[in-house]
Amino acid sequence: MDFLADATAGEPEMIRTRRAIHQKPELSFHEVATSKLVADRLESLGIKVRRGVGGTGVVGVLKGAKKGRVVGLRADMDALPVEEESDVEFRSKVKGVMHACGHDGHVAMLLGAARILAEHRTELSGTVKFLFQPAEEHGGKGGALPMIEDGAMRDPKVDYVFGLHISDTYNSGEVAVRPGALMAAPDSFKIKILGKGGHGAYPHLTVDPIYIAAQIVIALQGVSGRMMDPVQPFVVSVCSVHSGTKDNIIPDDAALEGTIRTLDKGMRKRAKAKVSEVAASVAKTFGGKAVVSFMEDAYPVTFNDPRATGKAAEVLKKIPGLKVRTADQVMGGEDFSRFLEKAPGTFYFLGTRNEAKGCVHSAHSSKFKMDEDVLKLGAASLALLAAEFAKPKGP
Ligand SMILES: [Zn+2]
Ligand SMILES: [Zn+2]
């Protein structure tokens, strides 16, 4: 089976699909047209389809002719609230909405992989499950968990799961793989600072929440610099500050919002505890009170099973012309982490950086542009991982 040749044959269809989705981007949990396109296409390939899984999710099940394992392949489908400024002729037709994270390409590649695998079903072992998920861009409340709760990883139970994300860090023609922690647990927090308002001319009669907020913003960097293991990646950023109405009124309260990023369970626990402690004690020092809350159900660390990932890297090396690199850890979060909690597998990056074509802008940028030449590589990689890991004894 030469999956790269098959993917190259399917390239025009993948480009058409990707551009069609690109022009009609849909925001998280509103992927109605996209999921219909996906489900219809899978059905046309003779793949059994379940629609409306965990919202707008779609699950396709393809049974090979021979016995084997169950491999899940995932693509995310949602777009972002960004006004497109890229120079492509198939720009978004929806004002203020853009596929700026490449999920249009992810969908096209997974559909491309589905075609390849469906056409080889007589030679295929095991079962491949196609997991098209809504709302990856929905913070901790993304579409993976509702899909899992709706049975996406059961009946048949998924033994291995794989997913990819296009990346402007790596060049076209490269994939980047990493065993262990790849992406961070993104824990967002809110700090409500309660003071006592009054006149700006008489601060001694007030408890100034803005002053306390400023002290907390500074002190939190001390958590990073003085309280966490310096050889472990850690970020704390305060990204929103709100308080006050007028130049001479000290308000009653202030609100901070931010995010902490960790790549390790122990670090995560400690970081949350330290952020809470420091905020509370700084507020207390200046006579106020800080109420710290973390968003529940934030994404976990995206943790690639080391054994499966080592094998996946070997499998990917079989694709002619594809360079397999070691991925750097990143502090972004990924909803795919939820699937990796249910089955071992790997999330990997597919390089799409191409200076000559101007594909240099980062994901989430209004100028983001994908190198479509990599669609065939992505599709071949997914199809090959599925075919190899679905074999009774694996790759
Ligand atoms: Zn994104
Ligand atoms: Zn993304």
Side-chain angles (χ1 to χ4, degrees), residues 129-142:
K129 256 190 169 177
F130 301 96
L131 307 161
F132 288 89
Q133 87 147 82
E136 195 289 320
E137 304 283 7
H138 208 240
K141 309 264 185 274

Side-chain angles (χ1 to χ4, degrees), residues 80 100-101 103 136-137 165 334 363-364:
L80 285 160
C101 202
H103 300 183
E136 195 289 320
E137 304 283 7
H165 205 295
E334 239 302 330
H364 291 212

Side-chain angles (χ1 to χ4, degrees), residues 76-330:
D76 40 14
M77 301 189 288
D78 55 330
L80 285 160
V82 172
E83 178 71 25
E84 179 157 13
E85 292 183 298
S86 80
D87 58 5
V88 298
E89 77 251 25
F90 50 91
R91 269 192 189 189
S92 168
K93 287 183 173 167
V94 184
K95 195 163 168 46
V97 184
M98 175 190 178
H99 267 291
C101 202
H103 300 183
D104 49 346
H106 299 169
V107 171
M109 285 186 271
L110 188 51
L111 286 173
R115 176 177 292 287
I116 295 169
L117 292 164
E119 284 171 357
H120 286 284
R121 82 172 70 204
T122 53
E123 303 139 83
L124 210 65
S125 305
T127 300
V128 184
K129 256 190 169 177
F130 301 96
L131 307 161
F132 288 89
Q133 87 147 82
E136 195 289 320
E137 304 283 7
H138 208 240
K141 309 264 185 274
L145 204 53
M147 279 189 86
I148 291 166
E149 285 168 355
D150 202 355
M153 297 291 276
R154 299 192 306 263
D155 305 322
K157 184 183 167 297
V158 174
D159 297 309
Y160 291 102
V161 66
F162 298 96
L164 62 75
H165 205 295
I166 56 114
S167 166
D168 60 283
T169 303
Y170 305 99
N171 290 322
S172 297
E174 297 177 338
V175 285
V177 181
R178 185 184 188 92
L182 178 70
M183 298 180 75
D187 285 294
S188 44
F189 60 82
K190 286 185 181 166
I191 303 176
K192 180 93 176 163
I193 297 141
L194 307 170
K196 187 173 146 239
H199 200 295
Y202 313 107
H204 57 297
L205 302 177
T206 74
V207 174
D208 183 354
I210 293 179
Y211 177 75
I212 294 172
Q215 295 292 338
I216 290 175
V217 172
I218 307 284
L220 289 182
Q221 294 311 313
V223 172
S224 169
R226 302 289 88 191
M227 295 172 166
M228 306 300 288
D229 182 348
V231 298
Q232 297 256 28
F234 174 69
V235 173
V236 53
S237 294
V238 175
C239 301
S240 140
V241 181
H242 283 95
S243 186
T245 52
K246 194 176 180 297
D247 64 295
N248 62 355
I249 303 172
I250 292 171
D252 282 318
D253 48 41
L256 302 175
E257 287 183 15
T259 184
I260 60 176
R261 306 283 167 130
T262 49
L263 287 164
D264 171 82
K265 270 187 191 164
M267 284 283 285
R268 185 182 192 189
K269 207 174 153 205
R270 182 171 169 84
K272 288 168 85 169
K274 290 296 165 195
V275 164
S276 300
E277 273 172 44
V278 166
S281 53
V282 168
K284 192 163 173 250
T285 300
F286 295 104
K289 198 178 169 208
V291 181
V292 184
S293 57
F294 287 90
M295 188 180 73
E296 285 172 35
D297 303 326
Y299 296 157
V301 173
T302 302
F303 189 87
N304 289 329
D305 179 77
R307 230 177 125 236
T309 304
K311 287 182 175 182
E314 293 310 310
V315 167
L316 293 171
K317 282 177 191 162
K318 291 181 193 164
I319 297 175
L322 184 68
K323 191 176 166 200
V324 181
R325 295 181 47 172
T326 301
D328 293 326
Q329 292 178 314
V330 289

Side-chain angles (χ1 to χ4, degrees), residues 332-352:
E334 239 302 330
D335 206 5
F336 190 74
S337 53
R338 304 277 196 204
F339 293 110
L340 286 171
E341 285 192 322
K342 294 289 161 194
T346 294
F347 190 64
Y348 60 103
F349 297 121
L350 177 70
T352 180

Side-chain angles (χ1 to χ4, degrees), residues 48-70:
K48 209 177 123 204
V49 170
R50 226 183 109 204
R51 297 171 192 245
V53 182
T56 43
V58 178
V59 174
V61 177
L62 174 70
K63 280 200 161 77
K66 300 177 233 170
K67 273 210 162 84
R69 290 176 173 156
V70 181

